Amino acid sequence: MESGNYDNLNEIATRLRRHILEMTARAGSGHYMSSFSCVEILAALYFQEMQVRPDDPAWPGRDRFVLGKGHAAPALYAVLAERGYFPVPELMTLRQVGSRLQGHPVKSYGLPGLDASSGSLGQGISTAVGIALAAQLDGADWRVFVLLGDGECQEGQVWEAAMAAAHFKCDNLVVIVDYNALQSTGTLDEIMSLGDLRAKWEAFGWSVTEARGHDFGSLQDALAGARARKGMPHLILAHTMKGHGVPFIEGNLEYHSKPLSADELAGALHALEVRH
Amino acid sequence: MYDLNVCSHNREAYGRALVELGSTNPDVVVLDADLSTSTKTSIFAERFPERFIDVGIAEQNLLDIAAGLALSGKIPFVSTFSIFGCGRGWEQIRNTIAMDSINVNIVCTHAGLSLGGDGATHQALEDIAIMRAIPNMQVIVPADPVETRAVVQYAAAYQGPVYIRLSRRRSPHLFDAAGYRFDPKSYPVLREGDDVTILSTGNMIRKALKAAECLAEDGISAGVVNVHTIKPLARDAICSIAKKTPAIVTLEEHNVIGGLGSAVAECLVQDCPVPMRIIGVEDRFGCSGRVDELFEKFNLTPAHVAGVVKNLVRER
């Protein structure tokens, strides 16, 4: 894809949000609001930044991705389907018994394109450090990308991994924090403030850049910076809006895990069309 | 034939086995959490520093980094003390390693009461129970250096997670290196007996054999079998032992809840019920003391085992 072609990416993002709404409505559960928060980030990774081959999902030279905030699985599944890893209609099996689309990602169910299980918060970034170390051992040039929730940064294990990635100079590791400032039951500052998150990551020895998380140009700039800088792991603080794309859901925690009614679903789908 | 007085550390056999594996397989990597001189992964680290990863005192990170390495084709061996690896890392083992049956070999040392003076915080008496309860996990407790080496080789070849439990203490040399072959479905008979069989594991085998010697003096013929593989338990092997001798006693350096005794009881009560006793730590925390003092305090002595066996045989 050519850089700067953001119309196309914005169209993809709208399709992803539509899938997310439809699949979570069909399932009667699922975190569409957290998924909306990271739609552009995932699209930027899978349609622009990452070297992948959807027709050869296990290609050894591929870039890897770990969804730390596994509850945004609907967004990841939607982007994998749109990218061509598996047929889009399979999205409608989300959360059904036997589906390859488990509520949180489980690799052993065999979904093409899924590099690691995740969902127990804090574990994905450590797994990604292990993947990055394997690439170092092999002298391979593929990279590992992780999407962390901001609330996830309250897990102590995140900081164990942050320390290790800097210690081992994992410059092949790019972590993006979906910084929407909301968690399950309130704002981050109400529940457990992260303080100066940028300063924390910098103090741990990471190169840190900030981006507007729903703006493909801004994301692309941040990702390009991470590509260029060597010798340390990369952190992108992506400022986002939980529920972004549908006005009545945006920033409204009532919708963290509540199934949408038929009317709400119709209203949300309509809002996506209007906004686009 | 074994000699109960010739003893050495299974941990050192583990470290040497890692070097052997590392020499032939470049994918073998070893991880530790700042305990390598105790777990003996230091032996590997000296030989293959580029394939040794010390993550510092961070066990959760340790286990998931190993998972990431395994996902990328490496064969990781992960070591720390049992209480921290299995305890602190339990959910990492469950959710990241075992759920996808990722090929991570978890070799934890200083299990049971063997950290003596360090006290209860460092004594793992629940590790078999909590590892055994996780689907896809194998749980193996080698009894001597020869068996340790064989189990490490087995784990490296087996695709999936394995928990190997080692003690801090020395073990008697029970097996001949030339003749020993590890088979998870078959348990070595260390002593034949007609009246009762003592099933034991790891370092407690020595006490089981000593108990059997005491019992022989009292005219009771007690067999001793080394149940190295607690999960998957070789149920056929356990049942055939229970059919040969009319009573079974288990002996382990672990809580009586959830360990070897529980695994054997789950099998026998369903498939081949026989009179049985479970000997272990009676649902208590350990404490500081010399290890031999602790074995006295927690009734893990040959004399106690012999007493339990006598009562069981007489009750029948």
Side-chain angles (χ1 to χ4, degrees):
Chain A
M1 178 160 307
E2 286 173 34
S3 60
N5 189 357
Y6 304 131
D7 284 351
N8 189 15
L9 282 170
N10 283 317
E11 273 172 34
I12 289 169
T14 300
R15 281 208 297 282
L16 296 178
R17 285 197 170 81
R18 194 182 308 128
H19 294 322
I20 290 163
L21 283 174
E22 287 173 344
M23 63 202 282
T24 55
R26 169 73 72 90
S29 64
H31 298 87
Y32 49 86
M33 197 178 174
S34 297
S35 294
F36 279 8
S37 185
C38 59
V39 158
E40 283 78 13
I41 296 168
L42 292 177
L45 288 175
Y46 273 94
F47 284 88
Q48 274 197 317
E49 184 67 15
M50 286 168 54
Q51 300 293 312
V52 293
R53 295 179 181 170
D55 55 351
D56 183 11
W59 170 45
R62 73 190 185 282
D63 290 337
R64 274 72 167 169
F65 177 76
V66 181
L67 182 69
K69 49 173 284 185
H71 53 288
L76 177 60
Y77 298 153
V79 81
L80 290 175
E82 276 291 330
R83 191 68 175 81
Y85 283 94
F86 58 88
V88 168
E90 188 174 350
L91 290 174
M92 291 301 137
T93 69
L94 175 72
R95 292 184 170 230
Q96 290 178 13
V97 174
S99 171
R100 302 196 289 184
L101 284 66
Q102 293 289 294
H104 293 76
V106 183
K107 181 173 164 57
S108 48
Y109 278 76
L111 189 70
L114 189 61
D115 289 318
S117 298
S118 61
S120 176
L121 298 178
Q123 296 192 29
I125 182 172
S126 293
T127 305
V129 172
I131 295 172
L133 288 173
Q136 278 187 1
L137 282 166
D138 290 344
D141 61 0
W142 46 264
R143 296 188 295 160
V144 195
F145 295 83
V146 180
L147 182 69
L148 277 190
D150 50 3
E152 185 174 10
C153 293
Q154 292 164 352
E155 289 280 5
Q157 188 178 351
V158 167
W159 303 101
E160 293 184 2
M163 205 182 319
H167 178 83
F168 295 122
K169 299 183 169 54
C170 295
D171 55 13
N172 55 351
L173 175 65
V174 181
V175 174
I176 303 165
V177 174
D178 183 354
Y179 202 0
N180 59 37
L182 287 177
Q183 56 190 109
S184 183
T185 61
T187 67
L188 283 175
D189 284 338
E190 285 166 349
I191 305 299
M192 180 51 62
S193 173
L194 293 170
D196 188 340
L197 192 55
R198 176 176 185 133
K200 283 188 167 72
W201 285 96
E202 284 175 340
F204 273 78
W206 290 55
S207 82
V208 181
T209 48
E210 300 194 39
R212 294 183 300 281
H214 301 296
D215 175 339
F216 284 105
S218 176
L219 286 168
Q220 192 180 41
D221 289 346
L223 289 164
R227 219 181 304 132
R229 188 157 182 190
K230 300 297 174 197
M232 61 208 307
H234 310 282
L235 191 283
I236 298 173
L237 270 183
H239 296 275
T240 54
M241 166 79 85
K242 195 162 172 169
H244 179 84
V246 174
F248 72 85
I249 294 174
E250 280 176 4
N252 185 349
L253 270 186
E254 192 189 327
Y255 292 98
H256 176 73
S257 56
K258 182 186 106 167
L260 291 180
S261 69
D263 284 349
E264 285 171 322
L265 174 62
L269 288 169
H270 179 68
L272 282 181
E273 297 307 320
V274 170
R275 178 169 284 203
H276 185 59
Chain B
M1 186 59 188
Y2 52 79
D3 179 346
L4 292 187
N5 296 313
V6 180
C7 298
S8 59
H9 285 114
N10 291 343
R11 297 180 275 145
E12 286 177 357
Y14 165 54
R16 288 194 302 272
L18 287 177
V19 169
E20 278 184 77
L21 284 174
S23 305
T24 55
N25 191 334
D27 286 330
V28 170
V29 294
V30 177
L31 298 91
D32 206 302
D34 194 32
L35 288 170
S36 61
T37 53
S38 300
T39 64
K40 299 303 173 191
T41 59
S42 55
I43 300 172
F44 181 92
E46 279 170 27
R47 180 72 184 277
F48 301 109
E50 70 289 352
R51 281 190 271 151
F52 176 73
I53 298 167
D54 196 325
V55 303
I57 307 165
E59 293 77 16
Q60 303 172 53
N61 201 35
L62 173 78
L63 288 154
D64 282 336
I65 285 179
L69 286 158
L71 280 171
S72 312
K74 303 298 173 194
I75 303 172
F77 279 79
V78 179
S79 289
T80 179
F81 289 176
S82 184
I83 190 73
F84 308 126
C86 301
R88 185 78 63 100
W90 187 85
E91 202 222 326
Q92 284 69 21
I93 295 172
R94 180 195 184 273
N95 272 335
T96 303
I97 295 172
M99 198 171 66
D100 291 326
S101 211
I102 292 177
N103 193 24
V104 176
N105 304 297
I106 302 160
V107 185
C108 289
T109 66
H110 297 61
L113 295 166
S114 67
L115 267 167
D118 281 337
T121 53
H122 283 53
Q123 294 163 348
L125 295 169
E126 309 84 5
D127 54 309
I128 296 173
I130 61 179
M131 288 298 102
R132 198 166 74 84
I134 299 175
N136 295 336
M137 283 298 297
Q138 297 205 348
V139 179
I140 306 177
V141 189
D144 90 334
V146 166
E147 188 163 76
T148 300
R149 173 174 177 261
V151 167
V152 168
Q153 289 170 342
Y154 163 82
Y158 171 76
Q159 286 293 313
V162 180
Y163 170 55
I164 299 172
R165 181 192 216 228
L166 300 180
S167 175
R168 179 177 72 91
R169 306 192 88 208
R170 290 184 170 84
S171 298
H173 292 196
L174 299 171
F175 303 110
D176 177 26
Y180 184 80
R181 191 178 146 269
F182 175 73
D183 176 0
K185 293 194 176 64
S186 164
Y187 300 130
V189 177
L190 294 166
R191 182 182 176 113
E192 299 281 353
D194 299 325
D195 298 325
V196 62
T197 300
I198 304 170
L199 303 178
S200 192
T201 195
N203 280 37
M204 296 308 282
I205 296 280
R206 185 168 190 267
K207 295 194 189 306
L209 289 165
K210 290 202 161 188
E213 285 169 15
C214 301
L215 287 161
E217 288 167 17
D218 291 338
I220 294 173
S221 169
V224 175
V225 173
N226 167 27
V227 183
H228 44 54
T229 304
I230 298 176
K231 187 185 177 187
L233 192 72
R235 297 172 75 105
D236 290 348
I238 297 293
C239 287
S240 70
I241 292 164
K243 281 171 189 153
K244 258 187 264 171
T245 58
I248 294 287
V249 171
T250 60
L251 171 63
E252 63 197 300
E253 192 180 335
H254 186 274
N255 197 332
V256 291
I257 295 172
L260 169 68
S262 294
V264 169
E266 287 158 16
C267 167
L268 292 181
V269 77
Q270 296 178 84
D271 296 351
C272 183
V274 294
M276 181 182 169
R277 293 289 179 271
I278 296 172
I279 304 174
V281 175
E282 293 285 344
D283 197 20
R284 294 163 69 190
F285 290 103
C287 64
S288 288
R290 288 203 324 270
V291 181
D292 54 343
E293 291 175 324
L294 298 183
F295 285 145
E296 292 280 346
K297 179 177 169 64
F298 292 101
N299 284 330
L300 296 173
T301 61
H304 178 76
V305 174
V308 170
V309 169
K310 272 185 222 166
N311 285 338
L312 180 62
V313 171
R314 282 186 195 133
E315 278 169 24
R316 292 189 62 254

